Amino acid sequence: MKQRYFIAIILVLTASLAKAQTDIKDINTLFANYHEEGLHLFPTNATSIGDNRFNDQLPADFTDSYRDKLNDYYNRYLTGLAGFRRADLNHNDQLSYDIFKWRLKINVEGLMQRDNRIPFSQFTGMALTLAQLGSGTVVQPFKTVKDYENWIGRATAFSVWTDSAIIYFRKGIDEKIVLPKALVVKMIPQMEGFVTTDATKSVFYGPINNLPADFSETDKKNLTEAYLKLINEQIVPSYKKLSEFLKNEYLPKARATSGIGSVPGGVKMYSYSLRQITTTNKTADELFNTGLAEVKRIRAEMEKVKNSVGFKGDLKAFFDYMRTDPKFFPYKTAEEVLAAYRAIGKKIAPNLKRMFLHTPKTSFEVRQTEAFRAASAAAQYNPGLADGSRPGIFYVPIVDATKYTTARESLFVHEAVPGHHYQVMLQRENENLPSFRRYGGYTAYSEGWGLYSESLGKELGLYTDPYQYMQALGDEIHRAIRLVVDPGMHSKGWTREEAIKYMLDNEPISEQGATSEIERYMAIPGQAVAYKVGALKIQELRKKYKTRMGAAFNLAAFHDEILKDGAMPLDVLEHKMDEWAKKLKK
C-alpha cells in the first residue's frame, strides 16, 4: 500500500511539473524544478544530502515502470532546455547548460540498457545500502521520534523492493543477463549475515542501542517494540528470501564468464558504461593501450625505488616482501590504524595553505568502516553536510588490525584531504551553483581529482619514506592496471583468474586484495577506468598551462579553478579551463 501511494504521489507531481517547462523564462528555475523533482524520484539521494522530507520512502527505481517515469522526466527537461539560447546566458549558466544537457542525454541513453536485470551485486545496491542507512551511523538521521518513524516506513518498503529485485533477477535469467558465479557466491553470505534470530544483535537494532536520552520512556518503549517487530517481521524475512533465492535459483543460472561483453547486448552496454563513466568517447582499445603504457612507465619508477633501498631481487619479489615482511604490519588495534591516518592529515596541513586558495568549512573525521561491510568494502569518503551538522568522513575498513599494512599516505590524500573532502565539500558549499551541480557528480572528475591528489604527495611533504613512495606508486599503478583488466575482461574476454594474475604480477597487493578488486570491476563494468582517465586529464591541463604561462603559472589558482565550479564532464572541464587560461594570458 505504501509503495502504491508513493507511486501515485510521483504521478501527480509529474503531471504538475510536466506542463510547460518550455514556458520557463529563467534557466535557473528550470534547474531548480529538475532538482526538486529528482528528490521525489530518488528519495535516498535526498536523504544523503540532508533533505529529510522523503526519509520514509524506498522505491524500486530499477523497474521498467519506474524507468518509464525517469525517461519522461529527463526528456521533459531536455525539451525545456531547448527553449534557451546558450549564447544569451552568463558564464556560470553556460556551464550549467553544458553540464545539464550532457547529463540528461547520457541518462536517457542509460535507460535503454538492460542493466536493471541485475538489481544489485556483492559490491553495490540497496540490499547493502539499506544496512548502512539503518545502522544509524551514516546518513539516515535518528535524532527525533519522527526520524525513527521515518525509518520504519522506509525499511518496511524493503519487502516490496526485495520482491521486485527477485522479479528482475528472473528477467535476467530468462534473457541471459546474469551475474558471474564468482560474485553470486559472495552475495549469499552477505544476505545470510542479516538473517538473525536475535533482533537485538542485528545491525538494524543500532538506532535502538543509541536512543536519544531526551526521548520519553513511553517513546523509548514503543520504538523498541516497533523496531523488534520491524526486524523480525520485515527485514530478516526479506534478507532470508534474497539469500534463498540467490542460493537455490540464481546461482545455478549464473554465468561462468567474467565480462559483461559475454551477455546479450553486453558489448553495447560496456561501450555505454565507458562513455558514461569517463565522460569521454574513449574506446575500450584506447583505454587498454593507455593502461599498458602507464603500467610500463610506473614499473620503471618502481624499479628505481627498489634499487634505492638495496633490495636484491626482481620487482615481483619486492612486492612479495612488502606484502609479507612484519615491519609493514605495525598495528595491534584498529585505533592505532586510525591514529596513523589522522597523523598524515596533521603532517600535510602546513603545505595545503600554499597549494589551495580555498578549503572547505565542513569538518572532517577518520572512522572505522562498520563491521558488517568491512570485509568487502574499500576505503571511502562519505560527504558531510554544508550546514555543518554532519562531517565529511573517511572510512577505513579494518577487519584485523594486525594484518593491516602501514597507513598509506597516498590513500589519505585521495579519499580525505585534499582529495574527495576538498572536491566534494567545496562544491556543496558553493551556493552560486544550481542544486543539480552542488549535489551532482561525475566519476571521471571526482576520482580523477582523487588520483591527481595522490600525485601531489611530494609537494605536500609526503613520500619521504621510500616505502611510502612505493605504496603511492602501487596505488598509481593499481589505477593503470584497471585500464588494462577492466576492458580486458569486459571487451577482450579475459577471465577473472587472468585479471587477478595480471594485477598480482604488476603491483604490491595481496591475492585477497586483488581478488576483491577484480570482482568489484566484474560487478560494475567500466567504473574502475574513470580514475586514471580523469587524473591524466587534470595532469595534462596542468602541464599545458604551466608550459604556456611559465613563471606566471600559479598552482593554487589552477587548483581553485579546477574545483570551484564543481564536478562536470571532462570535455566541459577542459573547455572551461582553456577559457580561464586565455583570460589570464590577456
Side-chain angles (χ1 to χ4, degrees):
M1 181 66 70
K2 179 87 174 177
Q3 192 80 355
R4 288 198 297 271
Y5 175 74
F6 174 71
I7 291 172
I9 292 293
I10 290 295
L11 288 172
V12 172
L13 173 76
T14 299
S16 66
L17 290 174
K19 70 174 185 66
Q21 296 299 345
T22 52
D23 292 340
I24 292 173
K25 303 304 180 185
D26 176 12
I27 196 168
N28 282 291
T29 301
L30 183 79
F31 298 150
N33 288 354
Y34 170 84
H35 178 72
E36 175 65 19
E37 191 173 351
L39 295 177
H40 287 78
L41 288 163
F42 301 106
T44 58
N45 287 357
T47 301
S48 73
I49 65 172
D51 187 326
N52 297 321
R53 291 175 294 162
F54 317 105
N55 286 355
D56 62 339
Q57 297 170 15
L58 186 73
D61 56 16
F62 54 84
T63 64
D64 289 338
S65 60
Y66 210 90
R67 284 187 162 198
D68 288 342
K69 296 180 182 64
L70 296 177
N71 187 61
D72 173 70
Y73 166 58
Y74 297 135
N75 276 299
R76 277 190 287 107
Y77 283 92
L78 271 172
T79 300
L81 188 67
F84 294 89
R85 269 176 33 97
R86 185 184 184 280
D88 295 339
L89 304 173
N90 63 40
H91 174 69
N92 190 40
D93 288 347
Q94 285 181 344
L95 264 181
S96 295
Y97 181 101
D98 294 341
I99 297 167
F100 195 61
K101 184 175 182 179
W102 189 94
R103 172 183 283 196
L104 292 174
K105 293 183 76 170
I106 204 76
N107 285 350
V108 168
E109 185 180 353
L111 295 173
M112 300 175 190
Q113 313 304 317
R114 289 187 291 168
D115 58 321
N116 63 336
R117 273 48 177 170
I118 301 175
F120 72 96
S121 68
Q122 91 291 358
F123 192 81
T124 186
M126 184 51 63
L128 297 177
T129 302
L130 191 81
Q132 288 182 271
L133 293 170
S135 68
T137 62
V138 191
V139 298
Q140 181 95 14
F142 291 91
K143 297 177 181 177
T144 67
V145 172
K146 177 62 174 173
D147 287 341
Y148 276 76
E149 292 171 346
N150 280 339
W151 175 250
I152 292 173
R154 174 164 280 174
T156 298
F158 184 59
S159 60
V160 177
W161 188 97
T162 294
D163 290 341
S164 298
I166 289 173
I167 288 169
Y168 276 78
F169 273 128
R170 285 176 176 150
K171 286 178 182 283
I173 291 173
D174 292 341
E175 298 168 19
K176 301 190 185 312
I177 302 174
V178 292
L179 284 164
K181 277 187 168 63
L183 306 190
V184 182
V185 297
K186 300 291 175 66
M187 296 163 68
I188 295 168
Q190 284 179 328
M191 299 301 102
E192 290 175 340
F194 297 117
V195 177
T196 176
T197 56
D198 183 353
T200 66
K201 298 293 194 295
S202 170
V203 66
F204 295 98
Y205 196 74
I208 298 300
N209 287 329
N210 296 294
L211 280 165
D214 60 355
F215 281 16
S216 71
E217 290 305 313
T218 299
D219 284 336
K220 289 179 180 178
K221 179 177 180 294
N222 290 341
L223 288 172
T224 299
E225 291 173 355
Y227 272 58
L228 288 170
K229 181 180 174 68
L230 174 71
I231 294 166
N232 287 326
E233 298 181 14
Q234 296 286 336
I235 295 176
V236 168
S238 293
Y239 279 110
K240 186 176 181 182
K241 184 183 291 187
L242 285 172
S243 66
E244 290 177 349
F245 166 76
L246 290 170
K247 180 166 52 179
N248 300 326
E249 187 174 339
Y250 195 74
L251 181 61
K253 301 294 185 180
R255 56 187 162 93
T257 56
S258 301
I260 197 69
S262 63
V263 309
V267 172
K268 183 179 178 182
M269 207 180 296
Y270 187 55
S271 175
Y272 167 78
S273 292
L274 292 180
R275 285 185 288 107
Q276 187 266 332
I277 289 166
T278 69
T279 65
T280 72
N281 290 316
K282 292 184 182 296
T283 66
D285 282 345
E286 286 179 278
L287 295 170
F288 184 83
N289 291 331
T290 299
L292 291 175
E294 281 293 286
V295 168
K296 182 179 180 181
R297 177 186 65 80
I298 300 165
R299 277 184 68 96
E301 187 69 12
M302 287 176 151
E303 288 282 359
K304 295 177 185 176
V305 178
K306 174 184 70 93
N307 294 336
S308 74
V309 298
F311 184 84
K312 305 301 180 185
D314 62 15
L315 204 51
K316 191 172 188 305
F318 192 48
F319 295 160
D320 291 337
Y321 167 66
M322 290 186 66
R323 279 194 290 256
T324 58
D325 192 278
K327 79 175 183 180
F328 298 112
F329 301 86
Y331 309 113
K332 294 181 180 178
T333 68
E335 186 53 40
E336 289 177 353
V337 178
L338 300 178
Y341 279 111
R342 293 176 185 128
I344 296 169
K346 293 177 182 177
K347 185 176 182 179
I348 66 175
N351 289 320
L352 289 169
K353 295 176 182 177
R354 62 180 177 79
M355 295 175 67
F356 292 89
L357 298 179
H358 298 92
T359 59
K361 298 174 185 176
T362 306
S363 62
F364 166 79
E365 294 180 7
V366 180
R367 294 185 190 172
Q368 184 176 357
T369 303
E370 306 95 323
F372 73 85
R373 65 187 184 96
S376 59
Q380 67 182 101
Y381 173 76
N382 270 22
L385 293 179
D387 65 5
S389 61
R390 187 178 76 221
I393 302 167
F394 170 37
Y395 278 104
V396 184
I398 309 166
V399 177
D400 181 349
T402 64
K403 296 179 181 176
Y404 197 97
T405 55
T406 307
R408 301 202 314 274
E409 294 172 342
S410 54
L411 179 63
F412 182 88
V413 296
H414 178 119
E415 296 293 344
V417 175
H420 290 319
H421 184 59
Y422 275 26
Q423 171 250 313
V424 176
M425 294 318 305
L426 285 172
Q427 173 177 311
R428 292 194 175 187
E429 292 172 4
N430 186 351
E431 296 181 358
N432 293 322
L433 303 181
S435 294
F436 87 92
R437 285 174 60 189
R438 285 183 73 187
Y439 301 106
Y442 298 87
T443 306
Y445 174 96
S446 58
E447 296 299 351
W449 173 260
L451 182 52
Y452 169 78
S453 295
E454 294 180 32
S455 74
L456 300 176
K458 289 189 175 182
E459 293 168 280
L460 287 166
L462 302 176
Y463 308 161
T464 54
D465 178 342
Y467 295 108
Q468 278 287 356
Y469 183 45
M470 190 68 177
Q471 289 278 24
L473 290 172
D475 286 344
E476 185 180 10
I477 204 170
H478 182 65
R479 278 41 173 264
I481 288 166
R482 288 173 169 178
L483 291 183
V484 179
V485 297
D486 198 90
M489 288 190 293
H490 296 298
S491 179
K492 297 181 179 297
W494 282 26
T495 66
R496 165 182 173 273
E497 290 69 29
E498 286 173 323
I500 291 171
K501 183 179 185 303
Y502 184 85
M503 184 168 277
L504 288 171
D505 286 345
N506 286 287
E507 66 169 307
I509 190 172
S510 68
E511 185 172 354
Q512 179 184 355
T515 299
S516 177
E517 285 290 313
I518 294 301
E519 289 177 349
R520 167 187 165 187
Y521 314 154
M522 291 162 63
I524 321 173
Q527 189 266 351
V529 307
Y531 296 62
K532 194 66 175 168
V533 171
L536 286 172
K537 176 55 66 177
I538 297 172
Q539 288 166 338
E540 172 196 319
L541 294 176
R542 175 175 168 172
K543 182 178 180 181
K544 177 167 69 172
Y545 305 137
K546 189 173 183 179
T547 300
R548 286 181 186 175
M549 300 178 191
F553 178 77
N554 183 301
L555 182 61
F558 172 78
H559 289 157
D560 189 61
E561 189 64 27
I562 289 283
L563 294 175
K564 75 180 183 66
D565 293 309
M568 60 189 70
L570 294 182
D571 287 348
V572 179
L573 175 68
E574 182 163 15
H575 178 73
K576 182 195 86 142
M577 295 301 295
D578 284 346
E579 291 298 309
W580 166 78
K582 286 178 185 176
K583 288 178 183 177
L584 287 183
K585 190 174 182 180
K586 290 179 182 178

